[in-house]
Amino acid sequence: MENLSRRNILSLGVALGLVGMSTPAQAWGAKGSTTGAAEGTGPAWIWDHAADPLMASMIDNGHVPAINTSWAPWVNNDDPLPSGLPAEFAAYLKQVNRLPSWADRTKLARAADFNRRRDMYLFMLYGLGSGIMSTVIPREAKSVYWSAGGADMQDRAAKTFTFGYDLSQLGAFEPTGQFVVTANKTRVVHAAVRHLLPRSPHWRAVADETVPISAADILVTFHSLGTYVHRKLLDWKVPFPAADQEAFLHSWQVALHLLGVPDEHIPQTWAAAEAQSAQVLTPILTPSTEGIALAEELLGLTAQIDLGVTRGFLNEFVRHVLSDEVGDWLGLKRDYVSAALVRTAWPAYILFREGLSPVMPGSFYMFDQFVRALGMLFLNKGSSGTTTPITIPTGNRAA
């Protein structure tokens, strides 16, 4: 079983909402970013100058319920902008709902094909790896818990799972895909939460920041997803050609741009991404009261799918993909029978799926069905395999 120390975990977390930063601005040098801009403007102090004032106005003037109704049918990238939106909001969407000029459609197509070929591993790593580990990023855990979505974690998980799911689909960035729309909706939700969460007395009582979700926070989320998955696939010796690695990174670079991160702060290479991740994420990992509660809720949701998989198995798989230290932080009870199964059967499962072993492990069917069910669980509470509605909040968690 892996036994990663806090120093060795490159990046952990998930886009379950909001992530935190406790690293000084100088940790975010521009070296290795996509444009190589001069150092000195730290993303820890950058929010969203386009979306933030817009959403403050939309919320304070009571427009959000109408927006949520109007944009519900707006799903595919080539869908026309919804009618019935406030003029200012529609103008904003028209401006941002497009790929950056530097997007490489050939790389994006290759990334989509890679995601299709590796979707089984991605579901497990995004769901039980990044998802659970987000709960030991204190600022993220506190922000998620005290925002409106924290009161209904299955719905919250479904909405945020949609981000990674849409990014992983064939044609995600094509006209018939959904990711460009999903990313723009997510950016708007981030702006709404920046306006709302500071009004929560519960969040203010535990937060060590005044405004959540800076550009640095979004980059930390990227490391908890893209950088973490990239490293785990290499660790598991899943075939990962250089061209696939480059395409996978490019898809995340475009995603970060669509979320409003300034291009000069987006890592240009995996080496730069891993160095940045080790500097800004690894040192902040630690448990919190809110994080422990969220981890229990998320693992309880996952246990709903059953399929003969026990909670002990879930606990041990989390320990396997993260570390025993993290498992201990979250109070995950040990199940040594399941630990032995995960330690031996999961590598055999990978070898068989990759055609590197002719021997199908006896647990193959269980793993295969479990991974598929895990994906469906978070897609609109299992009721849809195509999309999950993303709505803008109008308040925070009450208590």
Side-chain angles (χ1 to χ4, degrees):
M1 170 148 334
E2 298 177 52
N3 187 23
L4 306 178
S5 70
R6 183 184 301 192
R7 291 182 179 273
N8 291 334
I9 300 173
L10 281 174
S11 56
L12 303 163
V14 72
L16 283 174
L18 322 172
V19 289
M21 268 294 300
S22 61
T23 311
Q26 59 264 31
W28 298 92
K31 183 179 180 180
S33 63
T34 57
T35 63
E39 295 186 25
T41 339
W45 314 110
I46 297 172
W47 286 269
D48 194 327
H49 66 85
D52 288 353
L54 171 69
M55 290 315 300
S57 173
M58 295 297 105
I59 292 170
D60 292 346
N61 288 294
H63 294 308
V64 168
I67 293 173
N68 284 332
T69 299
S70 295
W71 81 356
W74 184 47
V75 175
N76 292 335
N77 297 335
D78 63 353
D79 286 344
L81 289 180
S83 60
L85 296 174
E88 185 182 5
F89 189 79
Y92 163 81
L93 290 181
K94 185 176 181 180
Q95 179 182 8
V96 301
N97 194 47
R98 65 187 68 170
L99 294 178
S101 60
W102 47 263
D104 185 325
R105 290 189 178 274
T106 300
K107 289 182 180 179
L108 293 177
R110 186 177 186 116
D113 183 62
F114 164 78
N115 288 329
R116 175 188 60 81
R117 289 181 279 116
R118 299 290 180 257
D119 61 353
M120 306 297 281
Y121 311 131
L122 296 179
F123 276 140
M124 292 297 269
L125 288 172
Y126 286 150
L128 291 180
S130 300
I132 299 305
M133 287 308 304
S134 69
T135 65
V136 294
I137 302 174
R139 287 189 175 183
E140 176 172 2
K142 293 172 184 179
S143 296
V144 169
Y145 188 88
W146 290 114
S147 64
D152 185 348
M153 281 307 297
Q154 184 159 350
D155 181 69
R156 177 62 170 264
K159 287 179 170 61
T160 53
F161 187 89
T162 291
F163 185 90
Y165 183 87
D166 289 350
L167 176 60
S168 300
Q169 292 305 288
L170 279 174
F173 296 91
E174 295 300 318
T176 55
Q178 299 181 355
F179 183 73
V180 177
V181 170
T182 294
N184 276 295
K185 287 186 175 183
T186 302
R187 181 177 177 180
V188 165
V189 170
H190 284 172
V193 174
R194 287 189 200 100
H195 186 61
L196 291 168
L197 201 55
R199 298 177 176 181
S200 166
H202 306 291
W203 180 76
R204 291 200 309 271
V206 297
D208 60 353
E209 57 186 336
T210 56
V211 181
I213 327 180
S214 67
D217 297 336
I218 296 173
L219 284 164
V220 169
T221 297
F222 155 65
H223 293 309
S224 75
L225 292 159
T227 308
Y228 169 70
V229 167
H230 174 259
R231 173 48 48 194
K232 293 303 292 185
L233 291 177
L234 293 177
D235 289 347
W236 287 349
K237 296 181 171 49
V238 173
F240 205 175
D244 282 352
Q245 294 185 48
E246 184 179 358
F248 184 59
L249 175 60
H250 189 66
S251 68
W252 274 105
Q253 290 170 332
V254 174
L256 290 168
H257 171 91
L258 291 173
L259 289 176
V261 176
D263 290 349
E264 62 267 26
H265 294 296
I266 300 175
Q268 188 175 14
T269 66
W270 280 121
E274 292 197 5
Q276 190 182 79
S277 176
Q279 189 176 18
V280 303
L281 176 60
T282 305
I284 68 175
L285 299 175
T286 194
S288 66
T289 300
E290 289 85 358
I292 292 170
L294 290 175
E296 186 61 30
E297 286 188 55
L298 290 169
L299 285 170
L301 291 175
T302 308
Q304 293 176 19
I305 64 178
D306 193 22
L307 298 176
V309 176
T310 66
R311 172 61 189 270
F313 170 85
L314 295 175
N315 288 353
E316 293 299 335
F317 197 90
V318 169
R319 287 175 175 272
H320 181 69
V321 297
L322 299 176
S323 71
D324 282 333
E325 182 179 30
V326 170
D328 291 343
W329 285 348
L330 298 175
L332 303 184
K333 294 181 180 179
R334 298 306 310 258
D335 181 331
Y336 292 102
V337 173
S338 293
L341 173 67
V342 172
R343 185 173 59 249
T344 58
W346 182 249
Y349 171 81
I350 293 174
L351 287 173
F352 183 76
R353 279 193 58 85
E354 295 304 317
L356 301 176
S357 170
V359 180
M360 183 175 75
S363 58
F364 179 86
Y365 181 75
M366 181 199 74
F367 276 123
D368 232 40
Q369 291 300 103
F370 175 72
V371 176
R372 294 181 189 279
L374 180 67
M376 290 303 300
L377 172 68
F378 292 116
L379 286 173
N380 202 20
K381 300 186 179 181
S383 65
S384 170
T386 57
T387 188
T388 298
I390 296 176
T391 55
I392 304 168
T394 56
N396 301 304
R397 182 175 184 152

